[in-house]
Amino acid sequence: AQKVTQAQTEISVVEKEDVTLDCVYETRDTTYYLFWYKQPPSGELVFLIRRNSFDEQNEISGRYSWNFQKSTSSFNFTITASQVVDSAVYFCALSETGRGAQKLVFGQGTRLTINP
Amino acid sequence: SQTIHQWPATLVQPVGSPLSLECTVEGTSNPNLYWYRQAAGRGLQLLFYSVGIGQISSEVPQNLSASRPQDRQFILSSKKLLLSDSGFYLCAWVTGQGHYGYTFGSGTRLTVV
């Protein structure tokens, strides 16, 4: 079965520091998709990025960047020059196929606190 | 535009009482619908999903049930709530194979007392 592991339960840094959130996944599918979601204190899940298994190019979006490495089954997320507004719980997720529907399998989440 | 509505936002219910949480989507047809639960300080666990009217798949045995009476309506229910049913419940939808990301509702925070 698919599995997503976010080993870092909590991370706390000072504003303007760079921080990397780790994500390791397990799957036997050759085609799969990886996601990152942000959950601010209000609770809603905000979609950040989707990456398919055939595209190993790293992606940068402003202060956010993602490093996808199939060789190590990792999809890490880096925030550069962190800001207090980045404080949230971040989830890594893997799409899984089952009985006609895609299902998202989530990691346990990493609680990121950016201190001023 | 495509939107998802979930209510109520918060709910406090006594042990043994019934539950009904509703989720509706707009602006799309024949979506796949999902119910996730997030226990305090933990990750998201898939409870149920549905690929069509009347079609419900359960991921984990539990005290809850789900129904899909209409294409864009997904209901989470319980006949008798347990303390362990407390948590944050999120509804989500996706069209097609879901590889373009799921859209989540704003969630219902349920406290069973």
Side-chain angles (χ1 to χ4, degrees):
Chain A
Q2 277 84 340
K3 183 180 178 182
V4 177
T5 302
Q6 294 179 255
Q8 304 150 308
T9 305
E10 294 191 29
I11 299 176
S12 181
V13 300
V14 177
E15 197 172 20
K16 297 184 182 177
E17 287 186 18
D18 299 346
V19 57
T20 296
L21 283 61
D22 299 332
C23 173
V24 175
Y25 62 93
E26 297 176 23
T27 179
R28 280 180 283 188
D29 288 354
T30 55
T31 302
Y32 53 89
Y33 287 75
L34 295 161
F35 302 82
W36 275 95
Y37 283 86
K38 175 181 180 179
Q39 186 180 43
S42 56
E44 78 272 20
L45 282 176
V46 179
F47 169 78
L48 295 179
I49 190 172
R50 169 188 63 95
R51 174 66 69 206
N52 75 58
S53 54
F54 297 109
D55 183 2
E56 289 192 69
Q57 282 192 344
N58 292 331
E59 182 158 341
I60 298 175
S61 176
R63 296 183 296 106
Y64 296 171
S65 63
W66 291 268
N67 182 1
F68 176 32
Q69 292 193 345
K70 287 181 70 173
S71 60
T72 56
S73 296
S74 65
F75 186 42
N76 296 337
F77 173 31
T78 297
I79 302 175
T80 303
S82 60
Q83 300 176 4
V84 173
V85 293
D86 296 325
S87 296
V89 180
Y90 290 86
F91 290 97
C92 180
L94 169 71
S95 69
E96 177 186 43
T97 305
R99 295 201 291 269
Q102 292 298 129
K103 296 181 288 183
L104 270 184
V105 175
F106 284 86
Q108 288 299 299
T110 297
R111 181 176 299 278
L112 176 64
T113 302
I114 309 298
N115 299 298
Chain B
S1 62
Q2 298 160 335
T3 57
I4 180 169
H5 301 282
Q6 192 178 339
W7 67 91
T10 59
L11 193 59
V12 180
Q13 292 285 99
V15 169
S17 64
L19 173 73
S20 181
L21 302 181
E22 188 164 342
C23 171
T24 60
V25 297
E26 296 178 358
T28 186
S29 59
N30 197 31
N32 292 341
L33 296 172
Y34 305 80
W35 278 111
Y36 281 86
R37 177 172 63 195
Q38 184 178 25
R42 303 188 66 180
L44 291 111
Q45 180 186 39
L46 179 61
L47 302 177
F48 301 95
Y49 67 92
S50 172
V51 299
I53 295 173
Q55 301 180 58
I56 306 295
S57 296
S58 175
E59 285 295 293
V60 293
Q62 57 206 317
N63 184 44
L64 302 168
S65 62
S67 62
R68 186 169 177 176
Q70 300 180 39
D71 180 47
R72 288 171 283 182
Q73 184 184 32
F74 204 22
I75 298 172
L76 183 70
S77 304
S78 174
K79 292 182 179 178
K80 289 185 178 181
L81 284 169
L82 305 172
L83 287 174
S84 57
D85 292 324
S86 294
F88 189 54
Y89 290 81
L90 286 156
C91 179
W93 73 270
V94 68
T95 54
Q97 289 299 301
H99 298 315
Y100 295 97
Y102 290 50
T103 300
F104 286 83
S106 54
T108 296
R109 199 166 301 280
L110 171 66
T111 304
V112 182
V113 297

